[in-house]
Amino acid sequence: MRETPAELRELQALLDASLARSSAHLRSIIHAGTTLTAEQLTEVLTGMCTLALSTVTAKGEPRISGADGHFLHGRWHFGTAAGAAKARHLAARPAASVAHMRGEDLGVFAHGTVEILCSPGREPAADWPYVREYFQDFYGDDAFDWDDVVCYRLHPHWMTAYAPDFAKLTAAPRP
């Protein structure tokens, strides 16, 4: 877990506010007995988590694709090739939704706006060296042509997590 106490408080406030303003139907499924606290969420979202990433085309059509997601400091981080369709979509329209699911045991859903951390020909974000070091430790120093990668951080304005049995999530190894 890399989150500071302040980041955990911010994440918990987001989770609470998101659930409070959700539909009655969603609150009948995700509630105090089936959701996770910020601390529990950061405990289970470790390493690479496959994300379903939703972007929007210029015609307003939704597109979904996969991305390697890493939950760092209470935010999803992910990347793609600079020439990928999702990179073009996010450059023009930075709104995105992500979902990470593990069968019926865990579902994490977020809507927000992406920040570009690194992109060819652009000045990187101030904390890009830290994020890049994390990625290189995870994937290996030479896993990517870093000059052709765009990396993002999702700043969620809505986020919720479904997990009916937290103990089950922490007892079994991740698939």
Side-chain angles (χ1 to χ4, degrees):
M1 182 171 82
R2 292 173 166 74
E3 288 72 16
T4 66
E7 290 167 338
L8 287 171
R9 285 190 300 276
E10 181 182 340
L11 179 57
Q12 188 63 57
L14 174 66
L15 292 167
D16 293 344
S18 298
L19 193 54
R21 66 179 189 264
S22 293
S23 69
H25 172 71
L26 184 63
R27 288 192 317 269
S28 74
I29 299 166
I30 302 175
H31 48 75
T34 61
T35 193
L36 299 175
T37 65
E39 191 168 325
Q40 290 171 322
L41 191 59
T42 60
E43 187 177 331
V44 297
L45 296 180
T46 60
M48 193 280 289
C49 300
T50 304
L51 295 179
L53 168 66
S54 180
T55 60
V56 180
T57 68
K59 293 180 180 180
E61 299 169 334
R63 293 292 183 264
I64 194 161
S65 61
D68 288 6
H70 296 265
F71 201 71
L72 307 170
H73 299 283
R75 303 282 186 265
W76 284 113
H77 294 70
F78 57 93
T80 192
K86 62 185 141 201
R88 290 191 310 276
H89 297 167
L90 292 170
R93 291 160 302 282
S97 294
V98 298
H100 171 65
M101 295 175 281
R102 297 182 195 163
E104 295 180 11
D105 296 327
L106 176 67
V108 182
F109 310 94
H111 310 300
T113 303
V114 296
E115 168 192 5
I116 297 174
L117 299 177
C118 76
S119 180
R122 290 180 60 150
E123 187 70 26
D127 66 337
W128 170 238
Y130 165 82
V131 177
R132 181 177 174 158
E133 182 179 338
Y134 166 86
F135 283 152
Q136 286 175 319
D137 285 348
F138 186 83
Y139 292 108
D141 286 340
D142 58 354
F144 299 103
D145 175 2
W146 291 101
D147 294 331
D148 187 44
V149 172
V150 183
C151 289
Y152 305 91
R153 174 177 22 243
L154 180 71
H155 293 276
H157 58 76
W158 186 91
M159 184 175 190
T160 192
Y162 171 78
D165 187 354
F166 177 70
K168 184 177 178 181
L169 283 174
T170 58
R174 248 178 70 190

